[in-house]
Amino acid sequence: MTRKPLVAGNWKMNGVASETRRLISLMKNELETLHNKVDIVICPPFTSLESAYYALGQSSTVVLGAQNLYFQAGGAYTGEISASMIKEFCSYVIIGHSERRTLLSESNDDINLKIQAALNSGLKVILCVGEDETARDNGTATVWVEKQLREGLKNIGNIANINITYEPIWAIGSGRAASGNDAQEMAFFIRKTLSSLYGKETQNTRILYGGSVKPENIDQFLQQADIDGALVGGASLQAQSFTDIVNKAAGQ
Ligand code: 13P
């Protein structure tokens, strides 16, 4: 089974619109030459999505993703952003990032509603799962991740537009990435869990790794049988390191 790799850059809360335009102009041409081999998604903050969209141009093969959405379609929800608002500029949305789960107490039930809203609007989902350091150390990482998958995907009938990212919380922004073997072990477990829910379709599901990914360590993840790309935080904020990572994914 060949799955086309996916590399997504999660810019988190970084960059005003002018910086977004600048960073995109530095990377756009090179990234576009790689699109036959790798799907490329850039996820700037909400306030930069429109600028990013026009900086890429409507026919760009590099597409945009949002970092979150609210599950309601519209109305009196001050400060929230709906799926249809995102859909104006984006093809993808990240849901369930651990920073939101931890800092904003986002639950698996919230995440489930968000996934439903995203899919109903035609957005592709990047669902993040991953354990904290205590769970990793006491051997309950798979229990943690299985719960996130089963509850997050409850009543979701079709997984075709869902990508999963395994992002161990202890590896995010810490400079301490998981080993390729540990990431593969979890990616295999994720695929097994998904296959108990969705059967053979799961062979097409892309599973990414995220957490301190850099050009220097991306190969150890891409070499793994069940890992199909990366969700990149800090290294996606530098044109050179992000294009290096995408080039490596294209070369696999
Ligand atoms: P870092 O690559 O900065 O560790 O961030 C990972 C991440 O959270 C991507 O969503």
Side-chain angles (χ1 to χ4, degrees):
M1 177 59 56
T2 23
R3 294 176 291 266
K4 189 176 181 187
L6 168 65
V7 176
N10 176 9
W11 290 8
K12 307 192 180 184
M13 197 174 73
N14 289 293
V16 296
S18 57
E19 289 160 340
T20 295
R21 283 192 290 272
R22 189 180 148 274
L23 188 48
I24 286 184
S25 72
L26 290 173
M27 303 191 289
K28 172 179 147 60
N29 290 346
E30 184 168 355
L31 292 178
E32 284 176 350
T33 63
L34 303 169
H35 84 276
N36 282 334
K37 298 198 169 141
V38 53
D39 286 341
I40 306 159
V41 184
I42 294 176
C43 307
F46 286 133
T47 47
S48 286
L49 285 175
E50 183 169 3
S51 305
Y53 182 76
Y54 289 109
L56 285 169
Q58 283 169 351
S59 58
S60 181
T61 51
V62 177
V63 299
L64 294 173
Q67 299 173 19
N68 177 41
L69 54 65
Y70 192 56
F71 70 92
Q72 294 284 4
Y77 303 102
T78 302
E80 297 294 350
I81 309 276
S82 73
S84 61
M85 293 170 181
I86 288 166
K87 189 79 193 346
E88 268 196 290
F89 307 114
C90 297
S91 312
Y92 284 78
V93 58
I94 298 171
I95 296 181
H97 193 281
S98 68
E99 283 153 13
R100 300 192 59 80
R101 292 180 188 260
T102 311
L103 299 173
L104 301 160
S105 305
E106 221 174 66
S107 69
N108 287 328
D109 289 345
D110 298 330
I111 287 160
N112 180 253
L113 290 171
K114 291 180 180 201
I115 294 173
Q116 292 183 38
L119 296 179
N120 289 340
S121 294
L123 287 162
K124 296 187 174 77
V125 169
I126 298 174
L127 167 63
C128 299
V129 296
E131 79 286 356
D132 67 9
E133 195 157 26
T134 312
R136 167 68 36 185
D137 290 346
N138 69 20
T140 58
T142 52
V143 177
W144 179 301
V145 168
E146 182 168 2
K147 184 172 160 68
Q148 289 176 327
L149 288 171
R150 288 190 185 274
E151 293 182 5
L153 295 171
K154 196 165 126 205
N155 297 329
I156 307 284
N158 187 315
I159 204 178
N161 283 328
I162 300 182
N163 306 273
I164 309 287
T165 300
Y166 170 53
E167 287 205 321
I169 295 172
W170 47 269
I172 295 175
S174 65
R176 178 189 155 206
S179 72
N181 284 346
D182 285 346
Q184 164 58 23
E185 226 170 69
M186 186 60 89
F188 178 80
F189 174 79
I190 289 170
R191 202 177 297 287
K192 195 173 82 174
T193 305
L194 293 177
S195 110
S196 74
L197 297 170
Y198 297 100
K200 275 205 296 228
E201 206 189 334
T202 304
Q203 286 310 312
N204 297 320
T205 305
R206 288 186 289 205
I207 300 175
L208 317 182
Y209 169 77
S212 297
V213 170
K214 308 181 213 59
E216 300 76 38
N217 65 15
I218 182 71
D219 284 339
Q220 77 192 48
F221 302 111
L222 294 172
Q223 281 158 7
Q224 308 297 333
D226 286 290
I227 298 180
D228 311 304
L231 181 58
V232 187
S236 70
L237 292 167
Q238 302 291 332
Q240 189 65 56
S241 53
F242 190 63
T243 51
D244 284 353
I245 289 168
V246 177
N247 265 301
K248 291 202 169 193
Q252 285 290 311

